[in-house]
Amino acid sequence: MCHVLIIEDEPLVAMEIEDILMVNGATSVEIVDTEQAAVAAAISHPPKVITSDVKLFTGTGPSAVREIQKRLGPVPVIFITGTPGECIPCDPPGSIVTKPFSRRIVADAFQAALS
């Protein structure tokens, strides 16, 4: 089973990411749009992979990921953002995909995160 947490505050982008991941092996996803919701969702249903935007409605993706990893240990992360220069801290394990993105780049990053 491959559960993925999608941290993204743009609904259409989140749905596009969900579609890409489901076609490429995710068995379930949860979409959240704030830092606090991301941490709560990860604790409730630990993800095998996280995708995260940098800027959120409330808080930031990197801060959410840092807190999730503090509580759960290392989880592969794909930061998908239009502001890669603001992805601080974007510590490994992870990668950065710049918006606008192609389906193939996200799919490749997801496959790399699974291996």
Side-chain angles (χ1 to χ4, degrees):
M1 181 166 172
C2 181
H3 176 66
V4 180
L5 176 62
I6 299 172
I7 307 170
E8 173 60 63
D9 60 359
E10 296 179 46
L12 293 177
V13 173
M15 290 187 300
E16 178 72 10
I17 293 168
E18 176 183 24
D19 183 59
I20 295 166
L21 301 181
M22 294 299 287
V23 167
N24 285 280
T27 54
S28 65
V29 300
E30 184 166 359
I31 299 171
V32 296
D33 60 6
T34 68
E35 182 177 329
Q36 183 178 2
V39 174
I43 290 169
S44 173
H45 190 181
K48 184 166 183 176
V49 175
I50 298 170
T51 70
S52 180
D53 195 356
V54 171
K55 295 181 179 181
L56 305 172
F57 285 134
T58 305
T60 70
S63 293
V65 167
R66 183 178 23 193
E67 184 62 27
I68 291 166
Q69 291 184 339
K70 185 187 328 180
R71 295 181 186 207
L72 301 179
V75 178
V77 180
I78 305 163
F79 288 100
I80 302 174
T81 181
T83 56
E86 296 179 31
C87 195
I88 302 169
C90 286
D91 300 323
S95 62
I96 298 176
V97 172
T98 303
K99 293 177 183 173
F101 55 82
S102 74
R103 293 179 68 86
R104 175 65 7 220
I105 290 173
V106 174
D108 289 349
F110 181 58
Q111 291 303 316
L114 291 175
S115 56

